[in-house]
Amino acid sequence: MEKYKDKRADTADRIEDILPRMTLDEKLAQLASDLPVKLMIADSFCHGVLKREYPNGLGRLTQYSMAGILCPDDIIRLSNAVQKYFIEETRLGIPVTFQSESLSGYPARGGTIFPSMLNLASTFDPSLIESMGRAISAECRSVGIRQVLSPVLDVARDPRWGRCYETYGEDTYLVTQMSVAHVRGLQKNKKDGVLATGKHFLGYGETEGGRNTAPTRIGNRELYEIFATPFEAAIKKADMAAIMASYSEIDGIPCGANKNIIRKLLREILGFDGLVVSDGGAVRRLYEVNHIARDYQEAGLLGILGGMETEMPIGASYRRLDSYIKSGELDMALIDEAVRHVLASKFEAGLFDDPYVEERNNSGFAPEHRQLSAEIAEKSIILLKNDGGLLPLPKGKRIALIGPHGGETSSSMPGYTIGGYFRMVRNWLCAQTGVSAQGSSFQGVADAINEVKIGTDAAAQGIDKSAVQRLFDGLSPDTEAVFRHEYGALPLCQALASWGSVGYAQGCRIMGEDRGGFDEAIKLAAESDLVIMTLGGNCGWEESTGGEGKDRSSLALPGVQQELLEAVARTGRDIVLLIYGPGIYAPELPAAVKAAAQVWLPGPAAGEAVAAVLTGRVNPAGKLPVSVLRSSGHILYFYNHKAGNGIRDPQAEKNPVHTIFQGGYTDADDTPLYPFGFGLSYTTFDISPPELESDSVPLGGKIAIRCRVTNTGDRPGAEVVQMYYHDAEARVTRPVIELAGFTKVFLEPGQSRNITFVVDTAQLGFYNENMEFVVEPGIAEFRIGNSSANLSDPVKVRLSGKPLNVMGKRSYSCEVKLENE
C-alpha cells in the first residue's frame, strides 16, 4: 500500500509520498475550484459531468450547500456519488473538499439559522459562540462539508460598510476572543469538525468611504496591532486551518497578490502554515477590476506569486498555470508549496481516511441547535433606553405595533442563509434557461453562468431537464413562508399576541418612498395606549440596506422610516423603538421615544426573543460591540481612539492651551449616541472600585486587578464587567483606553461575586518607534466599569525592567477568576 493511503503514517510523510507521484495537471487541479450547480442538474448521479470536467481531480467544490437547497438527503447522496468518482476513478484517488459559507449556520434545507455575528458579539459570551461553532460543524459534517468560509475576523470601525453585521464589531480584543472561540467550536480537533477559514486578510473592514472592496489605507502599526491580531490569535490559540485573502488593496497592491501581506506578514510574522484561499472571483478581479494583469491568465500568475493558493469559485486561470512553468516565469516550488497546503487540509479534515457520509444520517440537525439559536437571540438584545421604566411592558394595555419588521420574519435573517441561496440558485437557473428573473450573484458565481447552457443539447451535456424543473419548483420565491413553516419563525405581531391587545400596521416598507401606510399607522397609534415601532434595515443581495456590496453613505433610517417615526410621535403616545438590521442607524429620536433597543438580525427566533425581552420574561443583558455614532460626520470615531486625535479630552483640558487646538466639533457633541460596551438591564448593578494586588510588577510578570459586582435591584440579571487599559508613558501615541478583559456575571437580587482580572504583561505589547513589538517599562492604568464611557478612576501599576520584545510570545486574553462572596 502506498504510504499516502496509510492512515497510520505521519501526515507530512503522506504528503511527501503523494506529491512526487502527481503530474503537473493533477497538481494544478488541486489548486482549482468549482461550483456544484452543474452536478445538481446532471443525470445518472453526474458521472458523465465528473469524467468530462475533472479527469485530473479537483481541489474543492465551493458554495456546496447549494446541493442541499431542497433536501438534506439530496446533498448526502450527491456527496457520496461525487466522492466515489474522485476516489475510485481518478488516477491517485485524491478526495475533493466540499465547502460552504456557514457563517450563520449550514445554509441549506433543514440547517439551523443562527443570529448575525453582531448579535453574537453583543452577548459578550465566547462560550455561546463556541457552542454555536460546534452545532454548525455537526450539521455541515453530516452532509459531507469539511471546510467552511467562516468566521469573519475583520475589525469593523466604519458603520457605512454593508458587511459590519458579519463581524464581531469595532474592538480588537472583543473580536479576538469571539474569533478564537468560533474557530475552536468549528474545528474541534479538525478530523471531528470542519476546517475554519478566517477572513478577510487584511483590513477589509476599513476601506475608503466604507465601500466594499475599496482600497485600505492603514499604517503598518495599526495593520498588525488592530487588524492582524484576531488572525494571529486564531492561528496560535485555535490552530485555524485556512485564511482567505481580502479583495481590498493595501499600498497599491490587492491583498491576494500582495507578497508583503501574504508572504511576509501572514507567513513570516504571524507564522501561518495553513492554506490561503482566494475570495470568490478575486483572481479575475486582478485583471477586470484592478487592471494589474494583461489578461485573466496572467491574473492567475499574480495570484499564485502573491500567495493565494486556491482560486475560487471557478479555478480556470490556475488550471492554466502550466504555461508559466514552461516559460520559467513561475517556479515549480511555489506550485508544490500550494499543493502541500491543499493536501494537508484534506488530511487534517480526515478526507483520505473517512471520505463518505452516512446515508440519511441527519443527526447533525438536532433540535437543541435551534434552541441555542433562540438563546443567543435573547441574550444579544441591547436595551439602550428605558425612561420611566416603560419596559417591561405592562399588562392590559392596548399596544400598537408599527413598522416593516413587526409583521414579517425575513427581515430578521442574516445574510448567507437559505433565503439568499434560494434567490441565487433560482436566478442562475433563469440565466441558463432564458427565464426572466432579477439578477443576483455573488463571489464570482457569475463566472459560471456561461459554462453551462441548458437547451436542446441538454442530454449531450449530461443534464437532466427534470432535475432542472425540480429545482425551479422547489426554490420558492416566498422565503417568508419558508421561514414561518419550516423554521417556526413567528413575526413579532404574533409573538406578542398573548400579552394583550396588539394591533399591527406596517406603516411603510423598509426601502422606498411609499407613504401610503402612514394614515393607518397613525390611526392605530392614536387609538392605543403605547406604541412599539420596528424600524431599521435588512440584509441580502437584493432589495436590502446591507450585505456584501450593499454599503451606505448615511446612518439615517432607510426610506421614509424617519418620517413615519415622527408622524407617529405626534400622536403623543409613548414609543418603544426597536432597531433592526445589519448595521448601525442613528435616527433622530423624538421626545415620545421613551425606550429603545438594538436588535440587529436575531434570526428565526427574533419575534419570540424580542417579545420575551419586551414583556420581561428575559432580562436584557446585551452590550454594544460598536459605538453608535450621532451622524455619518462622526465616522471614523471609535472608543479606543488615539490620544490627541481632536476629540475633547478632559485630561488635556487641564491645560487651557490644549483646548484651543483640541476643542472638538463646533456643531455636534464628540461623544457617540451610545458608547461601546453599553447596555441597560431591568435590574441595577454596583461595581466596586478596582484594587491592585501589587502596584509594581516586573515586565514578564502578571498584573492582578480585583473588584466586586453586586446585583442591587429586584430582578435576576447579568452584567458584563469590563476592564480597560491605557499606557500612560509609551514612546508612541497609544489609545486613550482599550478593552483588556471582560466577564459576564449572572446574579440573583442582592448577590455579589468577586472578580479578579489577571493580565499577563505580554498582552500589553505594541510597536515602538523602532517597529519592535515590545512591552515597555512605565505606568499602566486600569479602569473597570460596565461600558467604555462608565468607568472607575484608574489604578496605576508601575511596570519595571528593560523593554521586553514579545513578538511571537504575545498573550491574547486576560484570565478571569470568579469567586462567590
Side-chain angles (χ1 to χ4, degrees):
M1 178 174 62
E2 299 91 336
K3 182 176 284 188
Y4 76 87
K5 294 182 180 179
D6 185 357
K7 64 177 65 178
R8 298 167 300 179
D10 181 76
T11 296
D13 292 338
R14 297 174 78 177
I15 292 171
E16 294 310 314
D17 179 66
I18 193 173
L19 192 63
R21 302 173 187 269
M22 299 173 71
T23 66
L24 179 55
D25 285 342
E26 287 169 337
K27 291 177 179 180
L28 297 180
Q30 289 302 308
L31 309 185
S33 311
D34 208 344
L35 293 160
V37 188
K38 288 179 284 189
L39 304 177
M40 293 161 57
I41 59 175
D43 58 9
S44 303
F45 272 119
C46 64
H47 187 263
V49 174
L50 289 166
K51 287 181 71 70
R52 182 179 70 247
E53 299 286 335
Y54 316 117
N56 296 305
L58 182 68
R60 63 202 56 244
L61 282 165
T62 192
Q63 302 300 338
Y64 187 67
S65 62
M66 287 190 227
I69 200 81
L70 299 186
C71 172
D73 291 342
D74 290 346
I75 190 171
I76 291 171
R77 285 192 292 267
L78 185 66
S79 297
N80 285 337
V82 171
Q83 204 67 274
K84 183 175 172 29
Y85 164 77
F86 285 108
I87 291 170
E88 296 185 4
E89 298 193 46
T90 59
R91 191 176 69 88
L92 294 173
I94 300 173
V96 67
T97 297
F98 301 127
Q99 71 182 24
S100 72
E101 289 289 336
S102 302
L103 183 65
S104 295
Y106 164 62
R109 224 50 173 255
T112 304
I113 300 174
F114 286 93
S116 77
M117 299 299 101
L118 275 181
N119 288 87
L120 294 165
S122 301
T123 70
F124 274 69
D125 188 345
S127 65
L128 275 179
I129 281 67
E130 185 165 349
S131 296
M132 180 201 70
R134 289 179 177 274
I136 294 171
S137 177
E139 294 187 4
C140 287
R141 276 191 68 94
S142 73
V143 298
I145 291 167
R146 298 293 180 94
Q147 184 169 347
V148 295
L149 301 178
S150 61
V152 172
L153 277 60
D154 296 307
V155 174
R157 306 193 298 190
D158 191 329
R160 294 171 296 184
W161 186 42
R163 302 187 75 174
C164 284
Y165 81 96
E166 295 183 47
T167 77
Y168 286 120
E170 74 177 41
D171 178 77
T172 298
Y173 185 85
L174 178 62
V175 172
T176 296
Q177 307 317 306
M178 298 304 200
S179 298
V180 169
H182 198 151
V183 173
R184 283 176 174 161
L186 288 170
Q187 292 193 162
K188 302 178 185 176
N189 65 358
K190 291 186 178 177
K191 287 191 176 181
D192 293 327
V194 295
L195 305 184
T197 306
K199 59 186 188 183
H200 308 80
F201 200 81
L202 189 62
Y204 185 48
E206 193 158 315
T207 58
E208 288 182 358
R211 294 184 297 272
N212 196 52
T213 76
T216 295
R217 299 185 183 275
I218 302 171
N220 288 334
R221 279 191 176 85
E222 275 195 302
L223 197 63
Y224 175 69
E225 293 176 7
I226 302 298
F227 297 94
T229 291
F231 289 88
E232 185 176 53
I235 292 164
K236 296 186 181 297
K237 306 302 290 185
D239 194 24
M240 185 164 62
I243 284 177
M244 178 185 287
S246 169
Y247 285 127
S248 58
E249 66 151 73
I250 294 177
D251 198 22
I253 304 176
C255 289
N258 195 321
K259 296 177 186 177
N260 283 330
I261 297 300
I262 303 298
R263 296 199 178 276
K264 183 176 181 181
L265 179 55
L266 179 60
R267 293 294 190 193
E268 295 180 18
I269 296 177
L270 272 59
F272 182 62
D273 192 37
L275 178 65
V276 177
V277 304
S278 83
D279 206 333
V283 173
R284 185 180 285 273
R285 281 179 60 88
L286 299 178
Y287 161 57
E288 293 183 342
V289 177
N290 301 118
H291 306 301
I292 65 170
R294 287 189 296 264
D295 52 33
Y296 180 30
Q297 189 170 351
E298 187 180 56
L301 174 65
L302 297 182
I304 196 73
L305 289 174
M308 286 192 294
E309 298 171 315
T310 291
E311 181 186 6
M312 299 191 303
I314 306 295
S317 71
Y318 274 33
R319 286 191 180 99
R320 300 200 297 269
L321 289 172
D322 57 324
S323 63
Y324 295 107
I325 294 286
K326 293 170 185 175
S327 69
E329 296 172 80
L330 178 60
D331 192 332
M332 190 67 195
L334 283 182
I335 298 294
D336 286 346
E337 175 190 51
V339 174
R340 281 190 180 94
H341 287 138
V342 171
L343 293 173
S345 73
K346 294 186 177 190
F347 280 114
E348 286 180 335
L351 281 169
F352 276 86
D353 304 324
D354 183 24
Y356 296 111
V357 186
E358 185 176 343
E359 298 271 342
R360 290 176 296 280
N361 175 24
N362 295 337
S363 59
F365 301 97
E368 54 265 31
H369 295 172
R370 294 193 179 187
Q371 294 167 10
L372 175 62
S373 177
E375 179 185 359
I376 294 170
E378 290 177 352
K379 292 181 175 179
S380 71
I381 295 169
I382 306 162
L383 184 62
L384 299 175
K385 183 177 182 178
N386 194 22
D387 293 352
L390 183 60
L391 295 176
L393 293 172
K395 275 277 196 181
K397 297 286 186 179
R398 295 171 300 168
I399 298 171
L401 178 62
I402 296 170
H405 300 76
E408 64 176 38
T409 65
S410 54
S411 55
S412 299
M413 304 298 167
Y416 288 104
T417 50
I418 190 168
Y421 280 88
F422 273 4
R423 296 185 186 96
M424 183 180 64
V425 176
R426 188 175 182 85
N427 290 335
W428 190 92
L429 289 169
C430 288
Q432 306 312 307
T433 59
V435 176
S436 176
Q438 183 176 348
S440 172
S441 63
F442 74 102
Q443 286 200 331
V445 170
D447 293 353
I449 292 293
N450 294 322
E451 295 215 357
V452 175
K453 290 295 181 183
I454 303 169
T456 56
D457 61 342
Q461 297 183 66
I463 293 169
D464 183 352
K465 286 190 173 182
S466 66
V468 177
Q469 188 62 52
R470 179 170 173 262
L471 268 177
F472 264 125
D473 293 343
L475 294 172
S476 169
D478 186 0
T479 55
E480 181 69 22
V482 172
F483 291 136
R484 293 198 193 194
H485 299 149
E486 298 184 27
Y487 289 85
L490 283 181
L492 183 58
C493 60
Q494 292 183 20
L496 280 173
S498 62
W499 190 252
S501 174
V502 180
Y504 173 67
Q506 184 186 50
C508 66
R509 295 178 61 82
I510 291 174
M511 302 171 70
E513 302 298 317
D514 187 359
R515 298 168 180 80
F518 276 31
D519 288 346
E520 179 190 8
I522 293 167
K523 182 175 184 294
L524 179 64
E527 294 172 350
S528 301
D529 298 314
L530 65 87
V531 178
I532 300 170
M533 296 197 71
T534 61
L535 304 176
N538 63 336
C539 187
W541 295 298
E542 299 172 0
E543 299 178 349
S544 60
T545 67
E548 186 163 4
K550 303 291 184 182
D551 312 308
R552 293 178 291 139
S553 64
S554 167
L555 303 185
L557 290 168
V560 295
Q561 293 184 51
Q562 182 70 42
E563 292 180 41
L564 177 65
L565 173 61
E566 293 169 357
V568 171
R570 286 193 287 271
T571 66
R573 300 295 182 266
D574 288 344
I575 296 173
V576 178
L577 176 62
L578 304 174
I579 306 172
Y580 292 73
I584 297 165
Y585 295 97
E588 295 286 336
L589 297 184
V593 177
K594 296 297 196 298
Q598 180 67 62
V599 176
W600 306 121
L601 299 167
E608 292 171 288
V610 172
V613 169
L614 292 176
T615 60
R617 183 179 67 80
V618 169
N619 191 350
K623 299 285 185 176
L624 283 169
V626 293
S627 303
V628 177
L629 308 185
R630 296 179 184 275
S631 72
S632 55
H634 288 72
I635 300 167
L636 285 161
Y637 171 94
F638 33 87
Y639 87 90
N640 51 354
H641 57 80
K642 295 286 187 70
N645 79 337
I647 294 174
R648 292 189 183 97
D649 182 349
Q651 185 71 20
E653 287 174 4
K654 292 177 181 178
N655 185 334
V657 174
H658 298 311
T659 306
I660 298 172
F661 303 105
Q662 193 165 320
Y665 294 122
T666 61
D667 60 349
D669 192 324
D670 286 341
T671 61
L673 193 61
Y674 297 104
F676 174 88
F678 176 77
L680 300 174
S681 171
Y682 293 149
T683 189
T684 55
F685 298 93
D686 176 73
I687 302 173
S688 69
E691 298 178 354
L692 291 169
E693 186 176 276
S694 173
D695 61 4
S696 180
V697 174
L699 293 175
K702 294 184 178 181
I703 305 161
I705 306 109
R706 290 190 289 263
C707 70
R708 181 184 65 256
V709 58
T710 303
N711 183 343
T712 55
D714 57 4
R715 287 173 176 264
E719 178 64 292
V720 178
V721 181
Q722 304 162 40
M723 181 188 66
Y724 292 82
Y725 159 73
H726 171 61
D727 189 325
E729 296 182 357
R731 293 294 182 89
V732 296
T733 308
R734 300 298 300 152
V736 290
I737 56 170
E738 51 189 309
L739 186 65
F742 64 85
T743 186
K744 193 168 195 173
V745 185
F746 179 85
L747 297 168
E748 295 290 340
Q751 183 184 5
S752 297
R753 296 198 77 179
N754 295 316
I755 303 169
T756 302
F757 294 100
V758 182
V759 182
D760 191 322
T761 55
Q763 186 185 326
L764 309 180
F766 59 91
Y767 273 130
N768 66 11
E769 68 270 35
N770 299 316
M771 291 303 288
E772 299 163 326
F773 198 81
V774 300
V775 185
E776 293 183 337
I779 298 297
E781 299 179 345
F782 294 91
R783 295 171 169 87
I784 287 178
N786 63 0
S787 84
S788 61
N790 186 32
L791 298 172
S792 67
D793 291 334
V795 291
K796 301 181 180 182
V797 182
R798 176 158 293 280
L799 303 180
S800 59
K802 295 182 179 181
L804 183 65
N805 193 310
V806 292
M807 179 60 76
K809 298 171 284 187
R810 296 179 64 184
S811 173
Y812 302 97
S813 60
C814 168
E815 180 186 359
V816 181
K817 299 177 181 178
L818 291 172
E819 296 176 354
N820 291 322
E821 189 170 67

